[in-house]
């Protein structure tokens, strides 16, 4: 593990999102798709990255999000925070984890409408031209995981 783990995502990206309409409804099978752009930059001398993602949801609503990733050498792990214009003034609790053999796995607590859950992020295909981020949830403390509810496929955009 090192501060270079997220170097693969530095730069400008076009991102295709596929997201369950309601990831908290176990009966939901409706997927939405939308496109965004994302600019990812190193911060703090390489101890982190930050990005802003901007686009339009399939219903025409603006989408604007911010990701902060910080590496802790003492813990030998990354923490990832998310903020969104859809939830102003809130920085979500971080997910934490690391990369192993090119796959990043990060887990952390969340809550929606009083219901606690664990969120898990996976970064896969990080050595390819189209790195992929996926998210799934556990409602039983990590004993089982619901199917993936959000997938983002990245395509690099020339500067």
């Amino acid at each position: 593990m090192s501060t270079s783990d997220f170097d693969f995502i530095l730069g400008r990206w076009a991102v295709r999102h596929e997201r369950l309409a309601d990831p908290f409804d176990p009966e939901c099978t409706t997927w939405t798709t939308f496109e965004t752009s994302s600019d990812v930059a190193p911060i703090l001398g390489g101890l982190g990255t930050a990005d802003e993602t901007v686009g339009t949801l399939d219903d025409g609503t603006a989408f604007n999000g911010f990701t902060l990733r910080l590496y802790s050498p003492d813990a030998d792990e990354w923490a990832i925070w998310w903020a969104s214009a859809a939830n102003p003034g809130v920085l979500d609790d971080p997910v934490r984890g690391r990369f192993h053999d090119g796959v990043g796995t990060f887990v952390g607590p969340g809550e929606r409408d009083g219901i606690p859950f664990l969120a898990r992020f996976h970064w896969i295909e990080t050595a390819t031209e189209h790195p992929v981020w996926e998210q799934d949830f556990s409602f039983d403390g990590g004993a089982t995981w619901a199917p993936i509810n959000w997938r983002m496929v990245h395509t690099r955009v020339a500067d």
Side-chain angles (χ1 to χ4, degrees), residues 95-116:
V95 294
R96 296 178 186 277
R98 58 187 45 89
F99 282 84
H100 181 71
D101 293 333
V103 174
T105 302
F106 309 89
V107 178
E111 183 178 313
R112 181 175 181 214
D113 299 329
I115 300 170

Side-chain angles (χ1 to χ4, degrees), residues 53-85:
T53 301
V54 178
T56 304
L57 298 175
D58 62 332
D59 67 1
T61 304
F63 180 89
N64 193 319
F66 174 80
T67 307
L68 173 64
R69 302 173 194 89
L70 296 177
Y71 177 68
S72 169
D74 291 343
D76 192 30
E77 72 177 7
W78 286 89
I80 305 172
W81 290 264
W82 170 252
S84 170

